[in-house]
């Protein structure tokens, strides 16, 4: 394919006109020493009329030179560039994105007879004829080099170079001065002066740190305009200055700041760079840009999280199927107590994932109406399958005003709430009350060989107790708070715990109850430890131990009354070997009364699925 250079493009660029994707030829490239940083390349380029040596290659394009794709005589299309003005008045063109249209070996030489560009020739280009439908063929050193193609474009400022809001514009700030506003998508580390107009879509709390290098504080915000998004961070004095000024969802002019390569480990913002506020940074409210978008999401289906690498940062949206109570944990790194709450999200894939909220978000969350929850920047964990953790940089939006949220709400209200969802988050110990998932009949659990793998499997079922083995259902345990080891009666009024290596004058009763549960198709032996056993029997272990010693008949009645009661069970199954014999061991992780409303919904959904098979 023959190409024609964009004649006059260099002059147009240097005169400040907006030039859309000019086609230029590389005359030469030269490496510039940068100390310890990545190498920088200066490029001499030609548009067929002029040459200019003020082109600099952005570092992310260095591979083009190093792999010799961008070399002398090749022809390329510049998709995006930035013109920076230096203090001495010179201009430098930063090449941000380009495509090599023809490699050097296919071009064969310099196209046209270009001359070095100088500031005085702009008027000459302007006085040229407006149309030039039949330009003459340039003479090449090697003879006839075809450059047939469309007529060279005459450049005029286009209406939009980067998208709806990305063309450079001038806005009047509240102080009355004129600020040249650039789109977020055009920001790069090679700019010294810039102003953006952006909405604050996320604002973190002030955090402190202390290490060998000293102490400090910081907070971060996420900024969005119609061209893209970027993260900005304020440290120390700037944190104190801007934290009370910047409000969530408000629009501001942001002027000046250091731009550096973004650390993708700590943010999900789709931008290669991030801003650090400096002493020269100014933040001014803007009241006439309410059209700017709010949080930008790139949602991942919950089912796709199963194949998402650990520690990936993702955006998810789901219905709050259930949620747990707030708990308090101690962070080991700083011995600080924080609030934690697990919520269980479901989407149209029929899969359910556990997401952990922290701090104020955990305490203030209300999932009683099963809201739609959108999370931007959650971290994927492989703890017990796949789960999500909301970071300090994450944004949580309840019932967002988005098409995805409306679609999800309509689906859930019409059919989703009747579906039997499958959890991809098998949290150790099983989910808390209200989070039972992966519903199976006992027959399905056995037919699917649950528990036969390397890891334990979890499922939920509705079962009726048909037998309780009261023999050896209780044992005398160490009275220490964190020890449940069986003690040895020393026959002298003392009880010895081998684990604690201590003798105690008393003990506590612990339960390990073996029960048989059944449903309409199958039965299963299940081991129930302390809390589950006490719930089934309706009495605590201490009372039952005393009853067994003093009133055997009353003890028997407790077990008889526990028979033929129906419960919801959360069961852990795992293949275990004892005396060279392998068998599936089932343990009740949670036992609670049947929620017949939800149970009937699941039965109705099962009937509908089976009806479609006939």
């Amino acid at each position: 394919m023959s190409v024609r250079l964009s004649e006059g493009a260099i002059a147009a660029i240097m005169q400040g006109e907006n030039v859309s994707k000019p086609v230029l030829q590389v005359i030469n490239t030269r490496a510039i020493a940068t100390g310890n940083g990545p190498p920088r390349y200066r490029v001499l380029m030609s548009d067929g009329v002029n040459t200019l040596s003020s082109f600099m290659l952005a570092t992310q394009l260095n591979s083009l030179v190093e792999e010799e794709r961008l070399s002398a005589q090749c022809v390329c299309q510049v998709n995006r560039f930035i013109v920076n003005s230096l203090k001495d008045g010179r201009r430098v063109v930063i090449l941000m994105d380009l495509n090599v249209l023809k490699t050097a070996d296919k071009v064969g030489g310099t196209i046209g007879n270009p001359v070095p560009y100088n500031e005085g020739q702009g008027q000459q280009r302007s006085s040229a004829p407006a149309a030039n439908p039949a330009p003459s063929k340039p003479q090449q050193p090697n003879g006839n080099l075809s450059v047939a193609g469309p007529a060279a474009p005459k450049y005029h400022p286009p209406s939009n170079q980067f998208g709806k809001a990305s063309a450079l514009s001038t806005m009047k700030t509240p102080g009355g001065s004129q600020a040249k506003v650039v789109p977020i998508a055009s920001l790069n580390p090679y700019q010294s002066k810039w102003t953006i107009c952006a909405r604050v879509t996320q604002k973190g709390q002030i955090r402190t740190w202390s290490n060998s290098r000293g102490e400090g504080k910081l907070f971060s915000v996420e900024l969005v305009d119609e061209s893209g998004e970027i993260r900005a961070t304020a440290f120390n004095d700037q944190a104190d200055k801007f934290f009370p000024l910047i409000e969530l969802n408000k629009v501001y002019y942001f002027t000046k700041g250091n731009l550096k390569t973004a650390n993708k480990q700590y943010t999900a913002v789709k931008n290669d760079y991030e801003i650090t506020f400096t002493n020269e940074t100014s933040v001014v409210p803007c009241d006439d840009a309410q059209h700017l978008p709010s949080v930008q999401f790139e949602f991942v289906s919950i089912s796709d999280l199963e194949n998402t690498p650990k520690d990936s940062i993702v955006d998810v949206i789901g219905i709050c199927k259930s949620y747990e109570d707030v708990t308090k944990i101690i962070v080991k790194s700083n011995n600080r107590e924080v609030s934690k709450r697990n919520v269980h999200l479901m989407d149209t894939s029929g899969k359910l994932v556990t997401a952990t909220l922290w701090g104020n978000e955990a305490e203030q969350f209300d999932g009683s109406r099963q809201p739609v929850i959108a999370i931007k920047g959650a971290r994927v964990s492989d703890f017990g399958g796949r789960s999500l953790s909301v970071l300090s940089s994450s944004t949580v939006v309840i019932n967002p005003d988005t098409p995805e949220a409306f679609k999800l709400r309509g689906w859930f209200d019409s059919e989703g709430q009747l579906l039997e969802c499958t959890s991809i988050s098998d949290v150790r110990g099983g989910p808390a009350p209200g989070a039972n998932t992966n519903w199976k009949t006992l027959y399905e659990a056995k037919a699917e060989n649950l528990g036969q793998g390397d890891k334990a499997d979890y499922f939920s079922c509705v079962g009726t107790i048909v037998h309780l083995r009261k023999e050896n259902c209780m044992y005398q345990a160490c009275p220490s708070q964190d020890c449940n080891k069986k003690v040895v009666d020393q026959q002298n009024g003392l009880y010895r715990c081998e684990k604690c290596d201590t003798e105690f004058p008393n003990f506590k009763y612990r339960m390990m109850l073996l029960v048989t549960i059944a449903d309409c198709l199958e039965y299963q032996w299940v081991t129930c430890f302390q809390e589950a056993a006490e719930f089934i029997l309706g009495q605590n272990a201490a009372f039952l131990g005393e009853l067994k010693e003093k009133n055997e008949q009353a003890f028997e009645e407790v077990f008889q009354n526990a028979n033929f009661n129906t419960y919801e069970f959360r069961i852990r199954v795992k293949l275990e070997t004892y005396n060279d014999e392998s068998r599936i061991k089932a343990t009740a992780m949670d036992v609670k009364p049947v929620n017949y409303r939800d149970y009937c919904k699941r039965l109705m959904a099962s009937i509908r699925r089976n009806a479609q098979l006939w």
Side-chain angles (χ1 to χ4, degrees):
M1 179 185 70
S2 299
V3 295
R4 177 179 291 277
L5 301 184
S6 302
E7 296 180 1
I10 287 179
I13 291 172
M14 298 305 287
Q15 292 176 23
E17 299 181 19
N18 288 335
V19 180
S20 179
K21 298 183 178 181
V23 176
L24 304 175
Q25 184 179 29
V26 176
I27 304 300
N28 189 25
T29 61
R30 182 164 62 92
I32 300 175
T34 58
N36 296 328
R40 298 298 309 278
Y41 292 97
R42 189 169 183 173
V43 186
L44 175 64
M45 306 197 79
S46 164
D47 63 3
V49 176
N50 295 119
T51 60
L52 184 69
S53 62
S54 297
F55 290 93
M56 293 285 291
L57 200 65
T59 54
Q60 66 264 27
L61 301 181
N62 282 358
S63 60
L64 294 176
V65 176
E66 294 161 357
E67 296 171 5
E68 297 185 352
R69 287 183 287 165
L70 190 73
S71 58
Q73 312 304 331
C74 76
V75 176
C76 59
Q77 176 180 286
V78 180
N79 299 321
R80 189 157 68 93
F81 63 89
I82 300 294
V83 180
N84 282 348
S85 297
L86 305 182
K87 292 182 179 180
D88 59 6
R90 291 182 298 130
R91 290 188 174 188
V92 176
V93 183
I94 310 297
L95 302 176
M96 304 299 297
D97 182 30
L98 60 81
N99 295 328
V100 177
L101 302 181
K102 271 197 171 184
T103 56
D105 58 318
K106 295 181 180 179
V107 176
T110 302
I111 300 175
N113 297 300
V115 297
Y117 173 80
N118 60 70
E119 294 292 337
Q121 69 184 74
Q123 295 299 324
Q124 298 174 13
R125 187 189 66 84
S126 301
S127 61
N132 188 10
S136 60
K137 293 184 179 180
Q139 298 298 316
Q140 302 300 329
N142 63 338
N144 295 326
L145 176 65
S146 174
V147 290
K154 298 300 179 181
Y155 286 100
H156 303 281
S159 60
N160 192 347
Q161 182 179 348
F162 293 96
K164 182 177 179 181
S166 58
L168 298 182
S169 60
T170 301
M171 284 187 166
K172 181 176 289 188
T173 66
S177 61
Q178 296 292 326
K180 198 172 188 179
V181 177
V182 300
I184 286 176
S186 72
L187 292 179
N188 64 84
Y190 316 114
Q191 294 171 287
S192 57
K193 297 179 181 180
W194 48 263
T195 297
I196 59 173
C197 183
R199 183 184 302 277
V200 180
T201 58
Q202 196 274 340
K203 179 185 177 184
Q205 296 297 314
I206 289 184
R207 293 179 290 148
T208 59
W209 79 84
S210 177
N211 54 35
S212 58
R213 292 179 294 179
E215 299 180 348
K217 66 181 71 173
L218 65 88
F219 83 97
S220 296
V221 293
E222 291 178 11
L223 311 176
V224 171
D225 69 7
E226 289 174 325
S227 72
E229 57 185 346
I230 195 168
R231 186 178 188 228
T233 303
F235 293 88
N236 300 325
D237 293 342
Q238 279 68 45
D240 292 333
K241 175 182 178 181
F242 292 117
F243 187 82
L245 173 63
I246 297 175
E247 297 182 27
L248 189 64
N249 291 322
K250 295 293 184 66
V251 179
Y252 299 89
Y253 292 106
F254 296 86
T255 301
K256 291 187 179 180
N258 290 336
L259 283 147
K260 63 178 183 178
T261 302
N263 188 339
K264 297 297 185 179
Q265 182 179 356
Y266 300 108
T267 177
V269 173
K270 306 300 187 294
N271 199 312
D272 292 334
Y273 306 112
E274 59 185 13
I275 300 170
T276 299
F277 291 159
T278 67
N279 291 330
E280 295 183 340
T281 300
S282 68
V283 179
V284 180
C286 175
D287 298 325
D288 57 353
Q290 300 307 311
H291 63 284
L292 291 181
S294 53
V295 184
Q296 295 180 334
F297 294 99
E298 291 186 11
F299 292 120
V300 174
S301 171
I302 290 176
S303 62
D304 292 339
L305 295 178
E306 293 182 284
N307 300 317
T308 302
K310 175 189 174 184
D311 294 330
S312 297
I313 304 297
V314 298
D315 301 346
V316 295
I317 186 170
I319 290 283
C320 178
K321 181 73 172 178
S322 59
Y323 63 101
E324 302 174 14
D325 293 334
V326 174
T327 58
K328 301 285 187 179
I329 65 171
I330 302 297
V331 180
K332 294 181 179 179
S333 60
N334 54 18
N335 203 32
R336 183 169 56 92
E337 183 181 74
V338 297
S339 300
K340 169 186 174 182
R341 186 198 297 268
N342 287 337
V343 298
H344 309 284
L345 305 179
M346 173 187 181
D347 67 6
T348 55
S349 67
K351 296 299 179 90
L352 183 141
V353 67
T354 299
T356 303
L357 305 179
W358 302 91
N360 291 333
E361 285 182 335
E363 295 175 354
Q364 298 172 6
F365 177 78
D366 180 10
S368 59
R369 296 181 178 271
Q370 294 186 305
V372 176
I373 303 175
I375 305 176
K376 179 179 179 63
R379 174 172 290 166
V380 178
S381 169
D382 63 352
F383 179 77
R386 280 292 185 270
S387 57
L388 299 172
S389 181
V390 176
L391 309 176
S392 59
S393 60
S394 304
T395 301
V396 179
V397 183
I398 307 298
N399 293 323
D401 186 11
T402 66
E404 294 90 348
F406 297 140
K407 179 181 178 182
L408 186 59
R409 169 55 65 190
W411 168 82
F412 183 78
D413 291 344
S414 62
E415 57 179 301
Q417 59 182 323
L418 301 177
L419 292 182
E420 179 181 328
C421 57
T422 302
S423 175
I424 65 172
S425 305
D426 288 330
V427 180
R428 185 176 301 171
N436 284 352
T437 56
N438 196 22
W439 291 93
K440 306 284 184 184
T441 64
L442 295 175
Y443 174 81
E444 288 172 335
K446 292 184 178 181
E448 295 175 12
N449 295 319
L450 295 185
Q452 300 281 359
D454 295 334
K455 295 183 179 181
D457 290 318
Y458 295 84
F459 70 94
S460 298
C461 69
V462 174
T464 300
I465 295 175
V466 295
H467 177 72
L468 301 94
R469 181 182 291 177
K470 58 181 178 292
E471 295 80 9
N472 300 321
C473 68
M474 308 178 70
Y475 68 93
Q476 297 170 341
C478 176
S480 299
Q481 182 177 358
D482 298 324
C483 180
N484 296 321
K485 188 73 173 179
K486 186 176 181 179
V487 295
V488 179
D489 190 346
Q490 301 293 96
Q491 304 299 324
N492 59 359
L494 297 177
Y495 302 87
R496 176 173 178 77
C497 175
E498 297 293 343
K499 180 180 179 181
C500 299
D501 193 22
T502 306
E503 292 183 349
F504 299 94
N506 61 334
F507 60 85
K508 64 184 177 185
Y509 275 110
R510 295 287 298 178
M511 302 204 68
M512 189 170 63
L513 178 65
L514 192 61
V515 303
T516 304
I517 65 172
D519 59 15
C520 59
L521 295 174
E522 191 56 270
Y523 72 92
Q524 175 69 55
W525 284 98
V526 179
T527 301
C528 302
F529 290 99
Q530 189 80 354
E531 291 79 6
E534 289 178 339
F535 180 83
I536 290 172
L537 295 174
Q539 302 290 345
N540 62 54
F543 176 80
L544 290 172
E546 183 179 355
L547 205 61
K548 183 178 181 181
E549 295 174 357
K550 297 181 179 180
N551 192 337
E552 185 70 25
Q553 183 178 354
F555 183 76
E556 290 277 351
E557 289 180 359
V558 171
F559 280 76
Q560 291 176 6
N561 293 334
N563 255 320
F564 304 110
N565 291 320
T566 302
Y567 302 101
E568 290 182 359
F569 293 86
R570 177 70 172 169
I571 297 178
R572 177 188 186 270
V573 286
K574 182 72 173 69
L575 185 66
E576 296 187 355
T577 302
Y578 182 73
N579 289 338
D580 296 328
E581 181 180 355
S582 297
R583 65 176 64 182
I584 292 292
K585 181 179 180 181
T587 305
M589 311 306 298
D590 185 30
V591 183
K592 64 180 183 179
V594 178
N595 184 330
Y596 284 100
R597 180 175 179 270
D598 290 344
Y599 184 40
C600 288
K601 287 182 178 180
R602 293 193 298 272
L603 292 177
M604 291 168 60
S606 179
I607 292 171
R608 290 176 180 174
R609 287 196 304 271
N610 291 330
Q612 295 175 356
L613 301 177
W614 293 90

